[in-house]
Amino acid sequence: MTGGAGLLLIISGPSGVGKTTITHEVQKRVEGAELSVSVTTRPQTAADRVGVHYNFIDEAEFLGMIDRDELLEHAEVFGNRYGTPRKWVEERLASGGVVILEIDVQGAVQVKRAMPGAFGVFILPPSEESLLQRLRDRKREDEATIQRRFREAKREIAAAQAGGVYDEFVVNRDLGEAIERTVELVEQARLARAGGSAG
């Protein structure tokens, strides 16, 4: 379902690859781009801003949204549920906006199934070693957690490359260049959409 010349943009990438920074820059530089705010069952922390980072709901409400087909995608991560509300996304697309979903491969597969015209970009590290180093440099977690994230990251990259969900892969060797490249790809996809491709 596409309305207007809206573009649904999926940005994914493993932990530590810089995808959140790239996502925020795309949001700033692409006119009319908005980041979709997920709903989650995880507890709100002091750092969370409702409606900016997440909208917080309880388990029963979340399951109700699944039953009513109100989520474009949803997943359970470390015991908490996360999902993308469908109605908000469809309204923004209908008015010609660019809606950005920063989601994992599992979510991207669900979104592509629901909206085949979505444009997917996957951010890759220059190498596995550099990704492991970036995870360590964040100094947020102990080595066991870092190794678990690293294993997950390798699995996610393999799934992304094999899944046929992503239209483009951008290697984040240099952050500035990766941002420029991603913005360029999004603008091209948007022009193609506006040029009348049915998506």
Side-chain angles (χ1 to χ4, degrees):
M1 174 185 180
T2 45
L7 177 70
L8 183 57
L9 170 65
I10 298 167
I11 298 182
S12 307
S15 230
V17 82
K19 69 179 173 296
T20 300
T21 306
I22 292 170
T23 298
H24 286 303
E25 284 300 314
V26 169
Q27 186 185 1
K28 273 196 267 188
R29 297 183 194 201
V30 174
E31 195 183 336
E34 289 183 85
L35 192 59
S36 170
V37 179
S38 298
V39 291
T40 182
T41 60
R42 85 156 167 76
Q44 185 177 348
T45 67
D48 288 324
R49 283 165 57 205
V50 173
V52 175
H53 300 118
Y54 293 102
N55 286 313
F56 297 89
I57 61 176
D58 63 24
E59 182 90 1
E61 196 176 342
F62 197 101
L63 294 173
M65 289 183 81
I66 294 173
D67 289 343
R68 296 187 298 273
D69 197 27
E70 291 173 5
L71 296 174
L72 262 183
E73 59 82 31
H74 58 90
E76 190 170 329
V77 184
F78 303 130
N80 297 309
R81 295 177 185 272
Y82 298 83
T84 301
R86 179 190 295 270
K87 186 169 182 282
W88 185 91
V89 170
E90 289 179 344
E91 285 169 356
R92 293 303 189 280
L93 293 177
S95 63
V98 174
V99 176
I100 308 170
L101 305 181
E102 189 189 313
I103 52 178
D104 64 8
V105 177
Q106 182 190 346
V109 169
Q110 294 177 50
V111 170
K112 272 280 197 176
R113 206 176 290 137
M115 294 188 166
F119 182 73
V121 178
F122 192 90
I123 311 298
L124 287 167
S127 66
E128 287 185 357
E129 294 73 28
S130 72
L131 180 62
L132 183 56
Q133 192 55 51
R134 284 182 199 185
L135 287 170
R136 285 180 176 145
D137 289 346
R138 296 199 300 185
K139 295 184 172 37
R140 290 185 201 166
E141 293 148 338
D142 60 29
E143 187 62 22
T145 306
I146 287 168
Q147 288 297 334
R148 191 189 72 212
R149 284 198 186 278
F150 183 54
R151 284 193 302 274
E152 279 168 12
K154 288 197 287 188
R155 248 198 323 271
E156 191 164 7
I157 289 167
Q161 290 173 328
V165 170
Y166 295 94
D167 300 276
E168 298 284 349
F169 289 84
V170 174
V171 178
N172 183 9
R173 197 167 281 111
D174 172 274
L175 185 59
E177 285 174 17
I179 289 165
E180 293 297 335
R181 179 68 183 139
T182 307
V183 168
E184 187 185 322
L185 290 168
V186 173
E187 296 286 16
Q188 286 170 2
R190 192 180 199 181
L191 279 173
R193 232 23 79 83
S197 66

